[in-house]
Structure formats: structure tokens, C-alpha cells
Amino acid sequence: MRPDAKVEKVYLYPKPVDFRKSIDGLAALVELDIKVAGFDPVLFVFLNKPRNRVKILYWERNGFCLWLKRLESERSKTAPALTDEAIVLSVELNWLLDGFDLAQPSASGFDA
């Protein structure tokens, strides 16, 4: 699953999340911390502390969906400093899911 044209924004939750949380716990984080309507065409991205797992929460027609990816050899390296505000991503989501370092000028490792 990769975002399609219907997705308006991608929010990266700014702090590591306990991955024992499931849909209800993550939806509560969205409502309380990110303060964005969970029913909008957006994705909410969560990382665990070691950054080797990614969870994506999104609303689809009549309910929330939860997607999980476990990175085997790579770890997600997020460039933005941890703050209390959600970080809005665009093309960086695909880089994050591929385990690239977001601090590089381009995630492919090649400068444009």
C-alpha cells in the first residue's frame, strides 16, 4: 500500500509510539495530539522507538484501517527533530517506508 492521489496530507506523529497500541489507541493520539479529523483523506504515520516498524492509520469509507510495515535490515531515519507538532510529509513517506534517511538531500542518494 502506497498513498494514492486521494490522500491530501500525510502526518508523521512526532514521538515514538508504543506499538501495542492498535486502532483505537492510535485514533485517540490523532484526536488528542494531532488535532486533525481522522475521517479526512489523510494518513497518520507512527514509528516505534527503534524505528524499525511503521504503522499507518487511515479512514476508508466506513472504518479505520491500520497498516504495519516491519523493516528488516534498515531503520527509518527521520530528519525532523522531535517536537510536539505532527510533521507533514509528502513524497517523504515512500522514502520512510523504504528505510531511507530523510536528512539526505534526496532519498535516492543522488543529488538532483
Side-chain angles (χ1 to χ4, degrees):
M1 186 214 69
R2 298 288 170 125
D4 60 14
K6 297 175 190 171
V7 173
E8 292 177 0
K9 286 188 181 177
V10 178
Y11 293 93
L12 173 62
Y13 191 74
K15 299 175 237 173
V17 172
D18 179 353
F19 265 37
R20 292 176 289 183
K21 289 185 186 298
S22 192
I23 290 175
D24 293 335
L26 295 174
L29 289 177
V30 166
E31 184 178 326
L32 297 172
D33 291 349
I34 300 178
K35 296 181 174 88
V36 173
F39 310 110
D40 291 343
V42 298
L43 301 177
F44 301 99
V45 179
F46 302 90
L47 297 172
N48 63 345
K49 191 170 185 176
R51 295 184 178 173
N52 64 347
R53 294 193 178 162
V54 179
K55 279 190 177 183
I56 299 177
L57 180 71
Y58 60 98
W59 181 262
E60 185 178 78
R61 289 182 289 136
N62 60 354
F64 280 108
C65 297
L66 186 62
W67 186 80
L68 169 72
K69 180 169 185 174
R70 181 180 66 200
L71 297 170
E72 292 296 331
S73 61
E74 298 292 327
R75 299 228 186 288
S76 296
K77 301 166 190 78
T78 56
L82 295 179
T83 66
D84 290 334
E85 297 294 319
I87 300 148
V88 180
L89 304 175
S90 53
V91 297
E92 294 94 346
L93 176 62
N94 286 320
W95 300 343
L96 182 75
L97 294 175
D98 291 334
F100 289 118
D101 186 351
L102 299 182
Q104 292 181 2
S106 74
S108 64
F110 302 103
D111 291 331

